[in-house]
Amino acid sequence: MEPDLFTAAAEDRQEKDPSSSPLAVRMRPRTLDEVVGQQHLLKPGSPLRRLVGEGAGGPAGPSSVFLWGPPGIGKTTLAYVVSKATDKRFVELSAITAGVKEVRAVIDGARRASGGFGKETVLFLDEIHRFSKAQQDSLLPAVENRWVTLIAATTENPYFSVISPLLSRSLLLTLEPLTDEDLRGLVRRALTDERGLAGSVTLAEDAEAHLLRVAGGDARRALTALEAGAGAALDKGEAEITLTTLEESVDRAAVAYDRAGDQHYDVASALIKSIRGSDVDAALHYLARMIDAGEDPRFIARRLMISASEDIGLADPTALPTAVAAAQAVAMIGFPEAALTLSHATIALALAPKSNAATTAIGAALEDVRKGHAGPVPTHLRDGHYKGAAKLGHAQGYIYPHDVPGAIAAQQYAPDALAGRRYYQPTRYGAEARYADVVERVRERLAEGGRGEG
């Protein structure tokens, strides 16, 4: 890494007085062997091992890598370990503040260091998904020619957020969420390690369980909560962090919810079933549990969109647009404000009239298709825009609905094998009552015609 005077001064102060740094910073691993979790990426011969100088070099040297995973599971930590363990020149940029100018400056510096001193450069680029296509394009020559070895971190799916030429020239490493056991080991190490709390306090068993729930798989959040709890306990003159002290220090009640376990699915299921049952108060309770536990708001929004079509459908045609708008808003604003949007959508869906007619309709249609009930498309409905289509009889005899009164042409649309099959069975609930009347009239009109000629 190439620190400026201010960075160097800060690092010097941290070495002289470790307590001046947050616990999460002090407990950063110094080697790959100290990294918590991600063991699937740390096997001998892995790209990360080779980045720190273990294994082959030259033509078989390490490729650029993308580290993809949610916040707090070790992306920046892995880059930090590489910076400390390698003798390569290490430069760090954040896509939030850097642009093409800064990237080009790093690349120019890397070429000079390589040509003049034979020094390789590792560029760590955090939040790469925030770079535009043009900004990502500026990295291509350096990665392709190995002027730099890129370590790029992202919380977004790189297949959607990173240009394919850059992705194809790199290895994609997917980081797995940290388990409770991973975090438990980290927390217990922080309690005793000289770099951490050095045995100044202990952690009660129920407090540890609550801390792991609060962390939600995020190591940084776990250590931050532990540090807050330890500070509160020491201020009280207590040698143990109790559940009460921890709750007070992190301002969060101990609600049973495991984002990676059964509770995650149980509470999500209860939310949807409460909406389906029109119990708005129960739905809000489960929504609050998910929000308070740090659930991904996008996950909640996706469940609401599914609920809008699965359980409400055309009984309230505004339900799906409401859920989609909520999902878009959540993606733009995030927590804590996203809680208001999710509440808005949950209340609207819970109180909407219910119909599963759209769900059963597509289910019945899919069942027929999977059983082989299909048949050729009627010739009058086939594409007639290409040369020779008329000779085949395609589109001949088709009646253009807008040319007839009421814009409903009495002709057959389904394949012969499915003529007269009824999939959509509308209810009489809410706005779907209108659709029930419409579909009945339309089906009667269509039945007057038979199959179009040709």
Side-chain angles (χ1 to χ4, degrees):
M1 191 176 297
E2 297 181 329
D4 55 25
L5 292 176
F6 298 102
T7 303
E11 290 181 349
D12 183 61
R13 183 174 67 253
Q14 289 174 7
E15 289 180 3
K16 293 179 179 178
D17 181 18
S19 63
S20 65
S21 302
L23 181 61
V25 174
R26 303 201 304 272
M27 290 304 299
R28 270 183 175 168
R30 294 161 294 190
T31 67
L32 289 178
D33 292 330
E34 291 185 1
V35 171
V36 172
Q38 316 311 333
Q39 296 308 304
H40 64 296
L41 301 180
L42 300 174
K43 298 175 181 177
S46 68
L48 292 176
R49 293 283 183 188
R50 292 160 62 199
L51 273 174
V52 299
E54 300 178 16
S63 302
S64 293
V65 298
F66 279 79
L67 303 176
W68 173 30
I73 63 172
K75 298 184 296 297
T76 304
T77 292
L78 288 172
Y80 175 83
V81 170
V82 170
S83 75
K84 293 299 183 183
T86 183
D87 60 355
K88 297 180 177 67
R89 178 173 172 266
F90 190 91
V91 183
E92 179 179 353
L93 292 178
S94 171
I96 297 176
T97 56
V100 172
K101 179 181 177 182
E102 289 77 10
V103 169
R104 286 177 177 165
V106 171
I107 294 172
D108 290 341
R111 297 181 69 179
R112 288 194 299 271
S114 177
F117 307 102
K119 194 83 168 175
E120 297 180 34
T121 298
V122 175
L123 168 61
F124 174 57
L125 183 56
D126 200 11
E127 307 269 5
I128 190 172
H129 56 272
R130 295 179 180 269
F131 261 8
S132 66
K133 181 181 181 297
Q135 289 172 315
Q136 293 181 31
D137 279 336
S138 68
L139 291 163
L140 273 175
V143 171
E144 190 170 69
N145 294 291
R146 286 199 178 177
W147 296 332
V148 300
T149 298
L150 175 68
I151 304 177
T154 178
T155 57
E156 302 291 335
N157 188 331
Y159 289 108
F160 298 119
S161 59
V162 177
I163 58 173
S164 56
L166 186 57
L167 198 57
S168 67
R169 289 163 173 78
S170 310
L171 294 176
L172 175 59
L173 306 182
T174 303
L175 277 68
E176 296 177 351
L178 297 179
T179 66
D180 280 356
E181 286 306 309
D182 291 332
L183 292 182
R184 183 175 286 109
L186 175 62
V187 167
R188 292 180 178 179
R189 187 198 308 169
L191 283 166
T192 59
D193 196 291
E194 290 298 321
R195 291 180 297 151
L197 298 174
S200 58
V201 290
T202 59
L203 182 64
E205 185 176 343
D206 56 352
E208 180 183 75
H210 177 48
L211 188 148
L212 297 179
R213 288 196 296 270
V214 168
D218 188 318
R220 191 163 44 240
R221 188 182 299 168
L223 292 175
T224 299
L226 176 63
E227 187 172 29
L234 293 173
D235 285 344
K236 293 179 179 181
E238 298 174 353
E240 181 183 62
I241 306 172
T242 64
L243 175 60
T244 300
T245 298
L246 186 63
E247 286 178 348
E248 292 172 352
S249 61
V250 299
D251 192 29
R252 182 171 293 178
V255 178
Y257 187 96
D258 176 7
R259 291 202 317 170
D262 291 341
Q263 281 286 330
H264 167 84
Y265 298 104
D266 289 347
V267 176
S269 175
L271 169 66
I272 298 308
K273 288 174 180 173
S274 297
I275 291 173
R276 182 181 299 145
S278 300
D279 190 332
V280 65
D281 301 301
L284 286 168
H285 165 75
Y286 292 118
L287 173 65
R289 284 173 65 167
M290 298 173 81
I291 291 172
D292 191 62
E295 181 61 78
D296 186 342
R298 295 169 299 180
F299 169 77
I300 303 174
R302 287 194 295 269
R303 301 307 306 170
L304 295 180
M305 286 192 288
I306 295 168
S307 172
S309 290
E310 181 181 11
D311 295 316
I312 298 170
L314 293 173
D316 183 352
T318 69
L320 182 57
T322 297
V324 171
Q328 293 173 336
V330 161
M332 294 175 67
I333 61 179
F335 280 145
E337 291 85 355
L340 307 178
T341 304
L342 293 172
S343 173
H344 175 166
T346 297
I347 293 170
L349 300 188
L351 297 181
K354 304 299 189 294
S355 168
N356 71 342
T359 302
T360 57
I362 189 60
L366 284 170
E367 184 179 4
D368 270 357
V369 170
R370 288 164 182 165
K371 287 180 177 178
H373 301 314
V377 173
T379 54
H380 64 288
L381 298 184
R382 297 180 190 179
D383 181 19
H385 290 88
Y386 61 93
K387 187 176 180 180
K391 292 181 179 179
L392 298 173
H394 292 187
Q396 301 301 302
Y398 171 65
I399 305 171
Y400 189 53
H402 297 291
D403 289 342
V404 300
I408 297 176
Q411 59 188 338
Q412 180 179 320
Y413 289 93
D416 288 346
L418 295 171
R421 188 69 61 100
R422 301 290 182 255
Y423 296 120
Y424 179 46
Q425 304 295 336
T427 69
R428 289 282 173 180
Y429 304 133
E432 196 165 38
R434 171 182 171 275
Y435 289 93
D437 293 333
V438 170
V439 76
E440 184 177 335
R441 291 197 304 270
V442 169
R443 284 171 174 166
E444 290 176 356
R445 179 75 182 96
L446 292 175
E448 293 174 3
R451 180 174 178 174
E453 296 181 3

